[in-house]
Amino acid sequence: MKTMGKFYLILVMAVAFSLGTAACETVAPQNSSVPEKSPLVPMLALNGKPDETLLDSWLWDFKKAGIESFLIYGRTGCEIEYMSEDWMDICSFLVRKARELDMGVYLYDEFDWPSGTAKKRVMRDKPNCALKYLEAKKDSSGNVNFNLRTNPNMADLFSAEAMEYFIALTHEKYYGRFPKAFGKTVKAMFTDEPSVSYYGGEADKKALKIPYFDGIEGEYLSSTGRNLRGDIAADWNSNLQRWKEPLLKIISARFIENYSGRLAEWCSKHGIKLTGHLMSETNSKNALWTCGHPLRALSKFQLPGMDEISTGTAMSPRYDEERKMQARNVEWLTLHTVMYAAEKNGNRGALGELFALGPCDTPFGIYRREIWQVAAFGVDTYVLAISQLDLRVRLSDDPYLTYFMSTYLNSWTPNQSWFWDLKNFSEDAKLASYFAKKDRVSEIAVRYKYDDKSDLAGLLGAIACAQLSSKLLCDDEKSNAKIIVSLDQNGAVREEVSGKNFENISDFIAWAQTHSERRITVEDAGGSKASDIFVREFKDGSYIILNYGEARELAVLAPDGKRTVILEKFGIYFYDALGNARDSTLHVPLGATRIRGLDLRKPAVKMLGQNSIRPLFKESKIFEFELEEDMELVFSVRKYGNAASIALDGEMLKEEAGEEPIIPGFNGLYGAVKKTLKAGKHKLELQGDSMEFPYLPIAVVSGNFSRDNCLLRKYAGDGKGLGGVFGKIEETRTMSIPRDANLIELQTEQAPAELFINGKSLGTRLWNPFIWELPENCRGGETEIKVVRKLSFGRIFGKEIFSNPKDASYTRRPYSTDGDFMPVCGVDFYIGAK
């Protein structure tokens, strides 16, 4: 058995002993090693003008935090000309430094996105290589008129000339600069959201738009014997639209030939892998028109990828009472698409761009479950989006666009106080990566037809909600699956093996549950099949269970019997039949006695960071606050993009040399000034029309204070009034620990926490449950217990900006721990936990 450090086998131990021996007799030896290197790959955004000193420090920080690979990402906010000599110098330095540190590098093939334009140079140098599309619209006389248009801001991915030029401007240039690194330090080239259906702002929104290339109508005529424009006009009011399937097949073949196939071939010849992901993976309506057939296009990638945009907190549609918004669903079609491509590639792994690992104050439980969610579908490489020391966001005259493009702002850097504990996250991700390459059980095969109207994502979601498993098939692909289904645009389901037809998805699910050969089922306390539970079963007898509901006690029914498990909110339970993977997360065993810890003295709570308050100026352009006593405050005022000018009590705030903004990520973006103010009322007044952005405040006030709304008082060390606190919080108390207690649990409000007993660290926990094993020498007497909570910088941005009643778009913020700060952690001890 491969050991992954010291693992505590509460709950999991019983499963290992009961299933391990029998299962190991029948399993194949492949995919039996937990990876040694971290599968976490931060998306390193080169904002501003980073020099070699900063980059050197950045990579050393990654390495010390257990991060062993990164992706070089050029995006808006970078002030170095893309693909210039300065840009290539930086990339060369990063590759050279990565080699010294034994780190891997992934190259991004574009500036921003979508890929294929080389920051629009392809179209600028070769106007004939701009994307083409056919626009069709019915006039008042009933005639369908056609116009051939171009989008000068997007490259024609159908064009061999355009793609060869794109490769010459990016791929070839990187290879020419550091060829010996390819296949060694440089692992892969990441392509991002390529599509043949970026029509641009000039496109008629009411018109039908079709991707186009010279010769497409001739190919349509050859394959069907009919005229494309004639078919479109004839079927204008028909649900049949017979022209779609043959046209999509033509689009698919040309996209593969000129884009995914061409790039994959180049990567193969140069010793690296093509990775990244396609556009509009979430639903077939859009996905089919971006590249023809996603399954065929993505299967060309040597390391196929996906993009998880939404923080998936629900398995099926529901209203989230906690956040007062519609919960975002798991992207079922996205996950199944990447799983298909991974399995076509020999089940050797895949990549996930996890944009959903944000915003910055998302509970680590969600971060962890997102990793395991994609691992269940074959993804073993996890791109953390986005890692940026410089926290500038995309700015636009459209406030919604700026908000939407920065909704998931994160910083996988020392800006986060938990950054140095990412080794814990890496160890857990290694286990997820190990499961990703196991052979999965898929009871139901679902055809992904050239049909842009059927609710394919809905069918896959319904199957998962029923604790059944599925995989995708291409439209004409053969399969030995015992259940093979196709869905039509009216929601009817046909099962091919039995020949049965079902009027809707629900009827099919009811039938499938009685014909399933599933071996693992999860039930709730009442004995019914548990809802909001995802189950992934593997052919070697292993399985993963993911919780999308509240914390609860569940029963797992496996071939060898029934066992009870407790799953926390966002919780994960897994069993490895090979015995290589053990969960290091401690759980409270059933039957253990809980005793609430009582303080012998009032706990002292220190701010190792600062408290903050965000002034919102609104229509009056005035923000008023009051000090209970004289106090020193730091005012950080935005000087980047739509810079702000602010007067404090009638005097303009001017940046002070050497004074640092509240966090390193604001360096260069904010000017800071320190002021000692008298007790009483004070007024900040915004001069001009500086715009407020959710993740780029006009100003932030910080200091060693507690706050009650806009009343600030010197912090009393009691943990109260810390609604805007960020950094670390240390609380120390003396408690009497029961003699027979062997576990301690903290209620940290999901904040990562490190526990010290009598000055000795017992380690950091990043997600629930926050449980540690108690050393024997501290039981039965008075003990000093110190807890260091490691908070995100998310509270700097406040809450009000994300619930603006005048702009519903602001309610789109993902799940985050933005509740009021809990002054003191709750402490529980457990007796009888073995």
Side-chain angles (χ1 to χ4, degrees):
M1 181 184 295
K2 186 170 183 178
T3 302
M4 295 298 296
K6 185 177 180 182
F7 288 86
Y8 302 97
L9 305 184
I10 294 177
L11 291 181
V12 181
M13 182 181 288
V15 181
F17 284 129
S18 62
L19 289 181
T21 303
C24 286
E25 294 175 355
T26 60
V27 297
Q30 74 264 23
N31 302 333
S32 60
S33 297
V34 176
E36 295 182 359
K37 286 208 165 191
S38 172
L40 304 178
V41 183
M43 204 169 186
L44 194 157
L46 300 179
N47 282 354
K49 292 182 178 180
D51 57 27
E52 290 188 1
T53 300
L54 176 62
L55 294 173
D56 180 82
S57 174
W58 201 351
L59 295 194
W60 271 108
D61 285 346
F62 278 150
K63 186 70 175 181
K64 286 186 287 186
I67 300 297
E68 298 175 283
S69 300
F70 58 90
L71 184 149
I72 301 175
Y73 179 35
R75 72 195 296 261
T76 299
C78 178
E79 296 175 359
I80 300 165
E81 181 58 35
Y82 178 63
M83 299 310 289
S84 66
E85 282 305 302
D86 287 344
W87 173 269
M88 296 305 297
D89 286 345
I90 282 180
C91 292
S92 296
F93 173 80
L94 289 170
V95 170
R96 185 170 65 252
K97 193 65 184 179
R99 182 177 68 248
E100 293 174 10
L101 296 174
D102 191 26
M103 300 177 76
V105 175
Y106 293 73
L107 297 174
Y108 190 79
D109 70 2
E110 187 55 80
F111 187 88
D112 282 338
W113 75 93
S115 288
T117 78
K119 200 183 178 184
K120 298 186 171 50
R121 185 174 167 186
V122 169
M123 301 83 73
R124 186 169 64 247
D125 293 354
K126 296 177 178 287
N128 62 306
C129 288
L131 179 145
K132 303 177 182 66
Y133 61 98
L134 187 65
E135 194 174 81
K137 191 174 182 181
K138 204 169 190 177
D139 62 23
S140 58
S141 301
N143 299 316
V144 178
N145 300 311
F146 295 87
N147 291 304
L148 185 60
R149 305 179 68 124
T150 62
N151 178 6
N153 293 313
M154 182 58 198
D156 182 0
L157 306 190
F158 289 139
S159 165
E161 180 184 3
M163 291 306 95
E164 289 295 344
Y165 193 48
F166 170 60
I167 290 171
L169 293 174
T170 53
H171 303 60
E172 293 286 359
K173 195 165 184 179
Y174 282 127
Y175 185 75
R177 191 61 179 265
F178 33 84
K180 293 182 179 179
F182 274 59
K184 295 177 182 177
T185 303
V186 175
K187 306 297 182 183
M189 186 75 73
F190 187 108
T191 197
D192 198 4
E193 300 190 354
S195 171
V196 294
S197 59
Y198 287 106
Y199 303 122
E202 295 181 359
D204 189 333
K205 294 179 180 177
K206 296 182 180 180
L208 171 68
K209 294 169 285 293
I210 297 169
Y212 193 90
F213 59 85
D214 294 338
I216 192 172
E217 294 185 72
E219 289 191 27
Y220 183 88
L221 179 63
S222 297
S223 65
T224 66
R226 305 189 304 270
N227 179 275
L228 175 61
R229 301 190 189 201
D231 279 358
I232 292 173
D235 293 345
W236 192 263
N237 296 317
S238 170
N239 288 326
L240 182 61
Q241 295 183 315
R242 53 183 174 169
W243 54 272
K244 280 188 177 179
E245 182 173 336
L247 183 63
L248 284 169
K249 287 181 177 179
I250 293 169
I251 290 171
S252 182
R254 182 59 67 97
F255 181 87
I256 291 171
E257 176 187 354
N258 276 297
Y259 196 83
S260 61
R262 187 182 299 272
L263 295 187
E265 182 180 6
W266 187 95
C267 289
S268 179
K269 286 181 178 179
H270 293 80
I272 62 173
K273 297 177 180 179
L274 174 64
T275 192
H277 63 91
L278 304 175
M279 178 65 178
S280 300
E281 307 148 289
T282 57
N283 63 80
S284 57
K285 179 180 180 180
N286 295 325
L288 286 165
W289 290 104
T290 68
C291 58
H293 204 299
L295 302 190
R296 289 186 165 90
L298 192 61
S299 294
K300 291 293 182 179
F301 289 47
Q302 289 96 354
L303 185 64
M306 56 161 286
D307 189 9
E308 174 68 78
I309 288 290
S310 299
T311 301
T313 59
M315 287 187 67
S316 56
R318 66 175 175 83
Y319 186 77
D320 190 324
E321 291 290 348
E322 185 174 355
R323 289 179 289 157
K324 306 300 181 185
M325 63 180 286
Q326 189 69 20
R328 297 191 172 196
N329 294 337
V330 175
E331 295 184 19
W332 297 114
L333 185 55
T334 301
L335 292 165
H336 281 80
T337 298
V338 75
M339 186 178 84
Y340 177 93
E343 292 183 348
K344 284 296 179 182
N345 199 29
N347 201 32
R348 293 175 294 179
L351 176 144
E353 179 189 336
L354 299 178
F355 224 82
L357 293 187
C360 50
D361 54 350
T362 300
F364 248 96
I366 285 186
Y367 290 160
R368 183 189 185 217
R369 194 187 62 191
E370 289 288 323
I371 294 285
W372 281 89
Q373 172 186 282
V374 298
F377 289 84
V379 174
D380 71 332
T381 303
Y382 313 111
V383 173
L384 310 180
I386 293 175
S387 182
Q388 51 189 83
L389 281 173
D390 177 337
L391 293 175
R392 70 187 70 200
V393 300
R394 299 173 185 275
L395 298 182
S396 167
D397 292 336
D398 180 348
Y400 170 72
L401 180 60
T402 297
Y403 165 73
F404 182 78
M405 296 312 300
S406 61
T407 300
Y408 297 89
L409 176 78
N410 212 338
S411 182
W412 298 89
T413 71
N415 284 316
Q416 296 283 27
S417 64
W418 42 250
F419 176 76
W420 303 108
D421 299 297
L422 282 178
K423 288 183 179 179
N424 300 15
F425 196 31
S426 284
E427 290 304 310
D428 194 75
K430 289 176 185 178
L431 300 183
S433 177
Y434 162 67
F435 275 85
K437 292 183 179 179
K438 286 179 176 286
D439 294 327
R440 289 162 288 278
V441 173
S442 297
E443 305 164 278
I444 302 170
V446 179
R447 291 208 181 278
Y448 197 154
K449 301 184 297 182
Y450 288 96
D451 175 8
D452 64 353
K453 290 187 177 180
S454 60
D455 184 16
L456 194 57
L459 172 59
L460 296 172
I463 292 170
C465 288
Q467 295 186 20
L468 301 174
S469 59
S470 56
K471 64 179 180 180
L472 293 172
L473 295 175
C474 278
D475 56 304
D476 57 357
E477 188 174 357
K478 293 182 179 180
S479 174
N480 58 4
K482 295 185 178 180
I483 301 176
I484 304 174
V485 297
S486 57
L487 181 69
D488 70 20
Q489 58 187 267
N490 297 315
V493 180
R494 174 170 174 75
E495 201 287 300
E496 297 176 11
V497 179
S498 66
K500 290 184 176 294
N501 293 290
F502 303 91
E503 289 187 6
N504 52 56
I505 292 174
S506 297
D507 289 349
F508 163 70
I509 295 297
W511 176 86
Q513 290 188 100
T514 63
H515 289 74
S516 168
E517 296 181 356
R518 185 154 201 79
R519 294 179 293 174
I520 306 296
T521 303
V522 182
E523 294 182 346
D524 60 25
S528 301
K529 185 172 288 186
S531 61
D532 293 318
I533 289 290
F534 176 80
V535 180
R536 168 64 75 206
E537 184 180 345
F538 300 93
K539 291 181 180 179
D540 68 0
S542 305
Y543 57 87
I544 298 170
I545 299 170
L546 307 180
N547 185 18
Y548 289 84
E550 297 300 316
R552 50 194 157 152
E553 181 181 309
L554 298 166
V556 179
L557 279 64
D560 67 317
K562 178 180 179 180
R563 67 185 54 83
T564 303
V565 301
I566 297 175
L567 274 182
E568 300 288 333
K569 189 175 184 179
F570 322 125
I572 294 159
Y573 180 82
F574 62 82
Y575 166 68
D576 175 31
L578 294 178
N580 292 319
R582 291 289 184 270
D583 190 353
S584 63
T585 304
L586 283 172
H587 298 269
V588 178
L590 297 170
T593 301
R594 184 178 74 169
I595 299 176
R596 177 57 53 88
L598 299 176
D599 296 348
L600 296 184
R601 64 179 177 81
K602 191 175 182 180
V605 184
K606 294 182 181 179
M607 276 196 293
L608 304 182
Q610 298 180 65
N611 202 3
S612 67
I613 186 169
R614 176 180 185 167
L616 288 179
F617 295 94
K618 302 183 179 179
E619 292 84 359
S620 68
K621 298 185 179 182
I622 292 174
F623 178 80
E624 296 180 312
F625 62 99
E626 184 176 357
L627 304 184
E628 196 170 81
E629 51 201 309
D630 295 355
M631 191 179 302
E632 184 178 78
L633 300 174
V634 175
F635 297 85
S636 298
V637 180
R638 192 174 73 214
K639 63 180 183 179
Y640 162 76
N642 199 231
S645 296
I646 295 175
L648 170 62
D649 298 331
E651 180 183 345
M652 297 303 297
L653 289 173
K654 295 182 180 180
E655 179 180 1
E656 293 179 352
E659 192 64 46
E660 298 290 338
I662 51 178
I663 55 174
F666 281 164
N667 287 344
L669 307 180
Y670 284 74
V673 54
K674 185 181 293 184
K675 293 284 186 181
T676 299
L677 303 182
K678 296 289 186 181
K681 294 184 178 180
H682 297 272
K683 180 170 65 175
L684 290 172
E685 186 171 2
L686 176 65
Q687 310 293 313
D689 295 318
S690 187
M691 188 177 293
E692 190 72 80
F693 301 109
Y695 281 106
L696 200 67
I698 289 175
V700 179
V701 182
S702 58
N704 187 39
F705 56 78
S706 64
R707 72 185 208 199
D708 181 3
N709 293 321
C710 293
L711 174 64
L712 311 184
R713 56 175 63 93
K714 286 186 178 179
Y715 177 56
D718 55 4
K720 298 178 180 179
L722 302 183
V725 69
F726 58 95
K728 296 180 182 179
I729 292 290
E730 175 188 287
E731 62 178 88
T732 306
R733 69 190 78 188
T734 299
M735 303 186 78
S736 180
I737 299 179
R739 182 170 301 278
D740 296 330
N742 54 359
L743 292 182
I744 181 174
E745 181 177 18
L746 304 177
Q747 284 74 48
T748 74
E749 207 180 46
Q750 302 191 73
E754 184 173 8
L755 175 66
F756 295 80
I757 300 289
N758 290 330
K760 183 179 179 180
S761 174
L762 300 189
T764 298
R765 300 284 186 265
L766 296 175
W767 52 78
N768 279 333
F770 290 89
I771 297 177
W772 290 260
E773 187 176 48
L774 283 168
E776 289 188 14
N777 62 7
C778 74
R779 305 174 191 176
E782 293 185 10
T783 302
E784 181 190 82
I785 296 177
K786 181 168 70 176
V787 179
V788 177
R789 279 179 282 179
K790 303 179 180 183
L791 310 177
S792 84
F793 59 82
R795 294 176 185 273
I796 290 171
F797 307 110
K799 294 188 295 182
E800 187 177 354
I801 191 69
F802 299 102
S803 56
N804 187 341
K806 294 183 179 180
D807 188 344
S809 66
Y810 287 102
T811 64
R812 292 174 58 88
R813 189 184 193 206
Y815 189 101
S816 61
T817 54
D818 58 1
D820 291 333
F821 181 78
M822 183 170 58
V824 179
C825 288
V827 180
D828 293 324
F829 299 106
Y830 290 92
I831 296 175
K834 296 181 180 179

